Amino acid sequence: MAPNARLDHRNPLVFDTHELGRRPGALQRLTREIDAPKDLGIQGVIGVPEGAPVELELRLESVMEGVLVTGTARAQAKGECVRCLEPLELELEADFQEMFSYPDADDRGRVKAEPADDAEEDEDRLFIEDGLFDLEPVLRDAVVLALPMQPVCQDDCLGLCSECGARLTDDPDHHHDAVDIRWAALQGLAGSLEDGEKDEMSGADAEAGVDEKQEK
């Protein structure tokens, strides 16, 4: 990612490295609780609700080319079971490590003699701007990787009945009597024949009654 024009130090996901300094080997540990930004997770599946508390533990290490950030994010994620669609919650713990580069240093940490126009190389890099770095893109990637793509309320969730939508875990013996469509057709044909025979018998009985009256 190319250097941003300006980062807002009031943003809770923007961190200041001035105290750490640029001396290689310098370390700084930080803890911070923030409100989760919007759409933190796998959209439409599971994620950390906007505004929910997220605990951050960070280790900042100064190296030649920038600041190496290692950390862990902890939060409560919410979503729904992909099998039975019931709401679910899980404890999220996402680990991450990312290098934030100094914009005036090359890959070996040496100060660049002249600004290089290498947009393709810088596209995938994260930079420190005026001593600040933005952790949000790193946090988002880490959370997505830590969350299940197919969340379930329990490992043995049986899902929903395809006929009526009943939750099968609540009633493992739930079932519907299935009728083979071929037998259903034969049963229908048999019913039609029975009805025809009844009609014929009724007609025959009526004719017999008429004949008896004529004989009398």
Side-chain angles (χ1 to χ4, degrees):
M1 180 182 296
N4 296 309
R6 286 215 176 266
L7 295 178
D8 187 352
H9 69 278
R10 295 168 297 181
N11 185 331
L13 283 170
V14 171
F15 291 82
D16 193 331
T17 66
H18 287 100
E19 185 177 340
L20 175 68
R22 293 184 64 160
R23 181 174 59 84
L27 294 175
Q28 185 180 13
R29 297 183 183 276
L30 300 172
T31 58
R32 182 179 296 183
E33 183 175 298
I34 66 163
D35 294 337
K38 185 178 180 181
D39 298 330
L40 182 60
I42 305 172
Q43 194 167 2
V45 180
I46 189 170
V48 181
E50 183 178 3
V54 179
E55 297 179 3
L56 298 174
E57 292 184 3
L58 303 179
R59 178 179 182 269
L60 279 56
E61 181 180 0
S62 179
V63 295
M64 290 292 292
E65 61 268 31
V67 175
L68 180 65
V69 179
T70 305
T72 301
R74 297 182 180 88
Q76 191 84 8
K78 295 184 179 182
E80 66 178 26
C81 176
V82 296
R83 296 178 187 170
C84 69
L85 306 182
E86 286 292 307
L88 61 83
E89 295 186 4
L90 60 84
E91 295 290 335
L92 168 70
E93 184 169 309
D95 298 322
F96 51 87
Q97 186 175 72
E98 189 66 46
M99 170 67 70
F100 289 86
S101 302
Y102 296 124
D104 60 349
D106 62 16
D107 291 338
R108 297 181 180 180
R110 299 173 300 190
V111 176
K112 297 177 182 178
E114 295 180 2
D117 185 13
D118 196 348
E120 291 185 2
E121 181 180 344
D122 290 347
E123 186 176 353
D124 296 327
R125 297 174 64 186
L126 297 174
F127 288 89
I128 294 173
E129 290 294 317
D130 297 326
L132 306 174
F133 68 85
D134 184 4
L135 191 65
E136 183 169 343
V138 177
L139 176 64
R140 287 189 179 280
D141 289 346
V143 167
V144 168
L145 291 174
L147 288 171
M149 295 294 292
Q150 300 287 323
V152 292
C153 58
Q154 56 191 61
D155 291 339
D156 57 351
C157 176
L158 298 176
L160 301 176
C161 173
S162 60
E163 296 288 333
C164 66
R167 190 169 183 262
L168 298 178
T169 303
D170 297 334
D171 183 11
D173 296 327
H174 176 88
H175 70 282
H176 296 269
D177 293 330
V179 178
D180 192 306
I181 189 171
R182 295 167 296 180
W183 287 111
L186 291 175
Q187 289 175 354
L189 178 60
S192 299
L193 292 174
E194 289 178 359
D195 292 340
E197 290 175 357
K198 289 179 181 179
D199 291 340
E200 290 178 1
M201 291 178 64
S202 298
D205 291 342
E207 290 177 1
V210 171
D211 293 340
E212 289 179 359
K213 288 181 180 180
Q214 289 177 349
E215 290 175 0
K216 291 179 180 180

